[in-house]
Amino acid sequence: MLVYGRNVAKEILNKDKKVQKIILQEGFDDKEINSLIEKSNFPVEYAPKYKMDHLSNGNHQGIILNIPDYKYLQLSEILEDSNFVVILDHLEDPHNLGAIIRTCEAAGVDGIILPKDRQVQVNSTVMKTSVGTLDQVRLVSVTNIANTIKELKDNGFWVVGTALSDKSVDYRSVYYSGKIALVIGNEGAGMSQLVEKSCDYVVKIPMYGTTNSLNASVAAGIMIYENRRSEERLSRNA
């Protein structure tokens, strides 16, 4: 996997992650990064700007790292010690995925579950947007979300989906107790019908302006912290 940009490069090199190759633009002069590269002993290749531009899909800032593909976990690896997970129903925007990863890390979410197909995967943009939190969050890759929801229910999870529909209830009216799996739908289509039918509750965030929906990562942030707020309130009243 190719990742690029100076901040991401510093993060990877400082954490001693495995790097297969470093590609630097001819004349690259960042003293801090050059020092880290010298200490790392990773193979380095120099290339002209046009080649760097061709390899990257954004502003590479003169450095590209070829690193191993992200290693996802299996659902079985997080089930025993998880009480709060987030399920992503075929998100397409890497910025949304990166922002959700960052929020999940901040809120102490136990894992993020995403499908293998028709879903944005961890890439350079996700790494940049998640701002160094990717290693602290457990990402699980699954073949079928509906089957995964069934397995979560079999293990004591309540499943809460988010959708703007007539059947949805205000997200503040749900009693978030016990093990919770929160489903965030696709940016345009929302949750699939099969996934929505699998949910125990379907909730919505009220809209008070002319906008009829929120960005997926914003909605995820509101729902994640509502769950945390409910947990804290229950703990105080226990």
Side-chain angles (χ1 to χ4, degrees), residues 150-162:
K150 183 180 183 302
E151 188 170 352
L152 287 167
K153 287 184 174 183
D154 290 341
N155 282 271
F157 279 83
W158 293 93
V159 182
V160 181
T162 53

Side-chain angles (χ1 to χ4, degrees), residues 39-217:
K39 294 175 183 177
S40 71
N41 292 318
F42 293 129
V44 178
E45 173 187 314
Y46 289 88
K49 184 178 184 300
Y50 76 86
K51 184 176 179 181
M52 304 284 288
D53 293 343
H54 178 73
L55 289 171
S56 65
N57 292 318
N59 184 9
H60 52 73
Q61 298 177 308
I63 183 166
I64 298 173
L65 274 61
N66 188 351
I67 64 174
D69 289 340
Y70 181 82
K71 187 175 180 180
Y72 297 92
L73 299 176
Q74 300 294 315
L75 183 61
S76 58
E77 295 179 79
I78 72 163
L79 268 180
E80 286 188 8
D81 63 350
S82 294
N83 291 303
F84 183 26
V85 299
V86 172
I87 302 172
L88 305 180
D89 189 2
H90 298 96
L91 263 62
E92 299 174 352
D93 187 342
H95 294 93
N96 278 333
L97 177 55
I100 289 171
I101 290 171
R102 187 178 183 185
T103 299
C104 286
E105 195 281 331
V109 172
D110 296 314
I112 302 173
I113 299 169
L114 61 163
K116 293 178 180 178
D117 300 321
R118 295 181 291 111
Q119 159 78 39
V120 63
Q121 302 296 317
V122 172
N123 58 25
S124 179
T125 302
V126 172
M127 293 188 71
K128 282 184 178 181
T129 312
S130 61
V131 195
T133 59
L134 189 58
D135 288 339
Q136 284 76 53
V137 179
R138 300 185 295 183
L139 266 63
V140 174
S141 181
V142 299
T143 303
N144 185 287
I145 293 180
N147 289 343
T148 300
I149 287 176
K150 183 180 183 302
E151 188 170 352
L152 287 167
K153 287 184 174 183
D154 290 341
N155 282 271
F157 279 83
W158 293 93
V159 182
V160 181
T162 53
L164 282 171
S165 69
D166 295 336
K167 296 180 180 179
S168 302
V169 299
D170 191 307
Y171 76 105
R172 294 164 295 190
S173 68
V174 172
Y175 188 67
Y176 301 92
S177 177
K179 295 182 175 183
I180 299 293
L182 171 66
V183 185
I184 303 297
N186 172 273
E187 294 92 343
M191 292 187 297
S192 68
Q193 289 185 358
L194 183 57
V195 169
E196 185 170 344
K197 288 179 181 178
S198 301
C199 295
D200 296 300
Y201 301 100
V202 179
V203 301
K204 61 184 175 183
I205 300 169
M207 300 289 109
Y208 299 104
T210 57
T211 302
N212 62 7
S213 64
L214 295 173
N215 174 277
S217 63

